[in-house]
Amino acid sequence: YGLTTWEQPAPPAPPATGPVAILVAGMLAGRTYHMRAVLQFADGSEFRDSDHLFTMGELATVNLPNLLSKTTVGLTPQHGVELVNVLSFGPSQSLSVVTDLDGHVLWTYSPGFSGLFANPIKMMPNGHFLINFSTWGDSILQEVDLTGRVLWQMTSVQLNKALASATCRGCNIEVLGTHHDFAILPNGHLILLAYKRVPDGEDGVLGDVLIDLD
């Protein structure tokens, strides 16, 4: 049909049979789409599924920020999407929103709590989002998939427990929370940026530490 989603391998042999789940995203609300599956065999042959017609549901616009997109006269936007982080929101407000360049919403995520904002949000190599929700003195790090399912999370309390029990030299510190940025390493580790009082206590100066989280 001119567009493809992504591929998933069949279960390994034996028995090399069973369901294969394909997650499809990026479609617009209220639109009708055609879709079919294509099965590729080891010998290079293919089986093409019959056409399936379906209509996307509507978004709950009450939970979305007001978005306005303008294109300069005579120019055409490049391909791509915009990832928007909302700083002021309530418990039911979509905190992170992906739109196309015409302002159509493609994906939203609300963590279900207020007071923390996405700082930052990045796409992982596996297609999930890694989001650091933070504010002064608190943070929650979450990995979520495109359906909004939380696959893993670590609060600042859990991070401090891990640091307290760490055996590496200089790792037994207490932080106020992670903030502003992180790096996803090829080996699966995370480099986190976190607040720490120097010296410890209410009268200390705020400093930053880098944490290699395995």
Side-chain angles (χ1 to χ4, degrees):
Y1 296 153
L3 295 172
T4 59
T5 55
W6 56 303
E7 297 179 355
Q8 282 282 63
T17 60
V20 177
I22 300 289
L23 184 62
V24 181
M27 293 170 289
L28 300 178
R31 303 290 181 88
T32 300
Y33 290 88
H34 294 263
M35 185 174 294
R36 69 180 177 189
V38 178
L39 183 61
Q40 298 175 332
F41 297 99
D43 61 3
S45 61
E46 292 183 344
F47 170 79
R48 295 178 177 268
D49 187 21
S50 59
D51 178 78
H52 298 275
L53 187 69
F54 63 97
T55 301
M56 297 296 297
E58 296 290 345
L59 291 170
T61 55
V62 66
N63 293 333
L64 296 177
N66 294 321
L67 299 171
L68 178 63
S69 175
K70 292 184 177 181
T71 301
T72 303
V73 176
L75 298 181
T76 301
Q78 298 186 43
H79 297 291
V81 297
E82 294 287 343
L83 177 57
V84 181
N85 292 332
V86 182
L87 296 183
S88 179
F89 62 97
S92 62
Q93 177 75 52
S94 293
L95 180 56
S96 300
V97 179
V98 175
T99 75
D100 64 13
L101 298 188
D102 291 322
H104 299 124
V105 176
L106 301 175
W107 181 82
T108 68
Y109 177 66
S110 174
F113 50 75
S114 59
L116 305 178
F117 56 91
N119 186 27
I121 173 174
K122 295 183 180 181
M123 180 162 276
M124 304 174 67
N126 61 5
H128 299 160
F129 283 107
L130 190 62
I131 315 173
N132 185 70
F133 297 103
S134 64
T135 187
W136 173 249
D138 195 13
S139 65
I140 300 176
L141 191 64
Q142 283 188 345
E143 177 184 351
V144 300
D145 65 14
L146 290 178
T147 68
R149 181 167 55 107
V150 178
L151 304 172
W152 173 85
Q153 79 170 19
M154 173 176 273
T155 66
S156 55
V157 173
Q158 292 169 325
L159 176 59
N160 279 318
K161 287 183 178 179
L163 292 170
S165 61
T167 58
C168 51
R169 182 178 179 182
C171 288
N172 304 130
I173 61 174
E174 183 175 347
V175 299
L176 298 176
T178 52
H179 67 96
H180 281 90
D181 204 4
F182 54 73
I184 305 172
L185 301 185
N187 64 359
H189 289 204
L190 297 176
I191 300 297
L192 304 177
L193 181 64
Y195 294 115
K196 182 183 183 301
R197 291 192 184 278
V198 185
D200 293 332
E202 289 299 322
D203 296 329
V205 175
L206 273 185
D208 282 323
V209 295
L210 293 176
I211 300 171
D212 182 354
L213 185 67
D214 61 17

